[in-house]
Amino acid sequence: MAATDITPPSRFAEARKRFVKTGFGSPLAAITSVLVFTLLAYIAWGFLDWAAFRAVWSKEDVALCGDHSGACWSVIDARHRLILFGTYPYEEHWRSTLAAVAIVVTVLVSCLPAMWRATRLAVLWIVGFASYYLLMEGSLLGLAQVTTDGWGGLSLTLFLFASVVLLGMPMGLGLALMRRSEMPVVRWFAVAIIDTVRSLPLVTTLFTAAVVAPLFLPSWLEGDKIWRVIFAFALFFGAYQAEVFRGGFQAIPKGQFEAGKALGISYWSILGRIVLPQVFRHALPSTINMIVVTFKETAIVTIIGFFDILASGKTAFGTAQWSPYYIEVFLFVAAIYWVFIFSLGQYGEYLKSRMAISEH
Amino acid sequence: MATAEELRRRAKRRSFTIQSAILILIVLAVWGAVSNAQYNLTRLNMTSGFSFLERDTGWDYSFSLIERSISDRYYYTLFAGLLNTLFVGFICIITTTFFGFIIGTLRDARHPALNFAANVYVQIFRNIPLILQAIFLYAILIHMGGPRQALNIGDVAFLSGRGMMLPGLNIAPAAAVGLLLTSIAIAIGLIIKKTSLWRGIAIWFGGTIVLSLLAAMVLRPEGEGVFSIPALAGLRFRGGISVPIELLALIVSITLYGSAYIAEIVRGGLAQVPRGLIEAGQALGLSNMSIWSRIKVPMALRSIIPPLGNQWIFMMKATTIGIAIGFSDLFYITVNSISQSGQTLELILILMLTFLAINYSIAFFTNWLNARLQLKEH
């Protein structure tokens, strides 16, 4: 008697079957498959050949780069410190490294679901941000002081990113709440700010903060250029985030507010214990998206004269010796951006699918 | 125990106090800012007002669609910058939408190779900052050799470090602007007439090409051909349309980046089309192509248009990164004007109001388009 095979087909076999069926089901599909895969393989091979097989890796071998048939990574070997740390003092680079690690760890830890409480996240981000600042600035820890003008490279990019998110998140929540207010003056004020900031290109907003704002501000309020720019950037983040939160608020039935009010619960308790936890949940995927966009947009500050990783990269090939190898530097900087942005984006996709499942 | 009447009155009083406090704070802040600005301006010996717009600029910039010289007035130069911004934005809106639809369709396709290729494209270009792509592309272009080492594309187009030479119609710039406006008018007319999607696109495209050819035949200079094809003459190219590398780098980088975003929007829209409709199409024996063009795209457009409109607005705003590669868009012109004339507040105000106007026009257009496309509920 033949035993019936009751083991489920393996996932791989299923995927292979589907691949063959859709990719080689008809002559046209098969030809397309072969053509596209050949083209992709050709491009990938050409790139690998240039970037790896025929490349020169160490800065001692820079003389070999002359014929230039492959990539010359010597420029990265020689100049990576400049790209990563900008003009930060050479002996203090370990501080800049640690500070950057602090920000990355903060972001990584806040990806854990166990951290998703408002207080925990707030504490985590403030601690992460504070350790960054203490390490970079140094005077409070008894280290040599480095003012914000000396910050640069990847650390500056991460700093801008972290401070914008940290400052912009409460701004966004505040604006979203003001926009829902029953008091018309408060509502109009929020609408005016949100709509104006959202209509303007980010460069314009940052430029206004960096160059124009000192005309309006009294000298005691002027502050450093970097703080004004961070404030304006956070306002940009807040204005967009307010709309994200607004979407979250709209997903919550009005009955919940009314039930809370009927039970005599105060406004802030209704908000903090009933409404906001659900709003955050609904707004989570769009919030991650906003954070990804913010990371990408930090590159804009190079226009208004900050020494972020894009600007320090441009400086790295600025000398006569290294200027032919600008492609390698740009690829290196692009790869760094790509790793950060791609991982954050994939995390957002994962959260979206996770929430789509739990909703059923 | 307070009565309900009393509680209501108390709430009203509270709301009044808070709102007046906020109003007073806003007024104080504005007053403080204005008086500070006045104080700073008198200290710097500046006069505020818009009379500077009538002055000559005295400086040149990289690109303009209209005649320019260093003795132009400020308002004329700002207008040239605005035209550049609108020009780049408009071209990018068309190219990104076109490529975005193709790539988004491939992302949605069931063919694994096409799907994979489109996915690779989106993941690469969406996850690198636009400004980095623009500067990178500009650096590559500027390192290309002079016209003699130009990259020859089928003997009709040439790419070199000086720019791209494209074959074009033999017409004056003013006629080209007229053609562009006519083309936009045809598009709007077709949308108003509610012509069906594909026929509308065919009429618009065909009509624009026929009109352009006609215009070139009638308006061309004596004794020259309908087409103007670039050719190397000595150390430079003659004939054709010359696209400077700043413009080229800006358009190509915004197109690469924006198409990846629009592809995701299109994919999302196509994925939302109910399966039943597609299966109904299959049951009727429609080909995959017909299912795509007659069922999926028309249905998906309804959910695609609102985010697409936001993306168009983003594209208009993204032209401001032109300043990083020296393209003279409105922001570049404004920044230059500020450093040359010192009229910071007035110029920033003009810049902001212009962008508000552009954004609201696009938002108005997409809302109108969306309303046209909505299904009538029965």
Side-chain angles (χ1 to χ4, degrees), chain A residues 29 198-199 204 215 296 338, chain B residues 40 111 123 126 261 317 359:
Chain A
R198 276 163 48 96
S199 312
T204 334
L215 270 179
K296 238 183 296 187
W338 192 85
Chain B
N40 284 330
H111 191 277
Q123 296 299 3
R126 205 176 56 145
Y261 263 92
K317 292 194 276 187
N359 286 348

Side-chain angles (χ1 to χ4, degrees), chain A residues 86-216:
Chain A
T87 50
Y88 206 75
Y90 192 85
E91 308 76 44
E92 311 285 343
H93 279 177
W94 61 273
R95 276 162 55 188
S96 192
T97 316
L98 274 185
V101 168
I103 300 279
V104 174
V105 167
T106 306
V107 173
L108 283 181
V109 171
S110 40
C111 287
L112 300 174
M115 293 302 299
W116 295 348
R117 304 280 150 69
T119 42
R120 286 186 199 176
L121 276 180
V123 169
L124 174 73
W125 275 74
I126 290 168
V127 168
F129 186 78
S131 41
Y132 178 96
Y133 187 81
L134 290 177
L135 276 165
M136 286 296 273
E137 210 270 341
S139 60
L140 287 171
L141 291 181
L143 301 160
Q145 189 188 21
V146 182
T147 54
T148 49
D149 316 330
W151 301 5
L154 180 61
S155 314
L156 181 66
T157 296
L158 287 171
F159 171 72
L160 288 170
F161 166 68
S163 42
V164 165
V165 172
L166 186 67
L167 215 73
M169 205 58 97
M171 274 189 190
L173 187 57
L175 283 172
L177 288 175
M178 283 166 75
R179 192 174 183 153
R180 303 173 39 81
S181 166
E182 280 161 3
M183 297 177 247
V185 172
V186 178
R187 205 165 52 228
W188 294 334
F189 182 65
V191 169
I193 289 192
I194 292 174
D195 281 1
T196 312
V197 174
R198 276 163 48 96
S199 312
L200 294 176
L202 178 59
V203 204
T204 334
T205 318
L206 298 188
F207 179 81
T208 309
V211 179
V212 187
L215 270 179
F216 286 108

Side-chain angles (χ1 to χ4, degrees), chain A residues 22-23 29 33 37 183-186 189 198-199 203-204 212 215-216 218 240 296 299 310 326 334 338 341-342, chain B residues 19 22 26 33 36-37 40 110-113 123 126-127 131-132 140 143 257 261 317 320 331 344-345 351 356 359:
Chain A
T22 52
S33 290
F37 279 125
M183 297 177 247
V185 172
V186 178
F189 182 65
R198 276 163 48 96
S199 312
V203 204
T204 334
V212 187
L215 270 179
F216 286 108
Y240 277 86
K296 238 183 296 187
L310 184 53
Y326 65 98
W338 192 85
I341 297 167
F342 179 75
Chain B
Q19 296 192 57
I22 289 178
I26 294 175
N36 245 305
N40 284 330
R110 293 185 56 210
H111 191 277
Q123 296 299 3
R126 205 176 56 145
N127 290 327
I131 181 169
L132 173 56
I140 290 177
H143 279 83
Y257 183 83
Y261 263 92
K317 292 194 276 187
T320 49
F331 183 59
T344 319
L345 307 180
L351 180 71
L356 283 177
N359 286 348

Side-chain angles (χ1 to χ4, degrees), chain B residues 54-69:
Chain B
E54 296 287 340
R55 289 211 303 262
D56 293 353
T57 56
W59 41 269
D60 198 10
Y61 45 97
S62 63
F63 178 81
S64 88
L65 292 167
I66 48 182
E67 292 278 322
R68 69 173 195 271
S69 77

Side-chain angles (χ1 to χ4, degrees), chain A residues 59 62 72 74-75 78-79 316-326:
Chain A
K59 63 180 165 200
V62 67
C72 183
S74 321
V75 59
R79 311 282 273 181
F317 63 80
T319 61
Q321 186 192 3
W322 298 116
S323 61
Y325 312 117
Y326 65 98

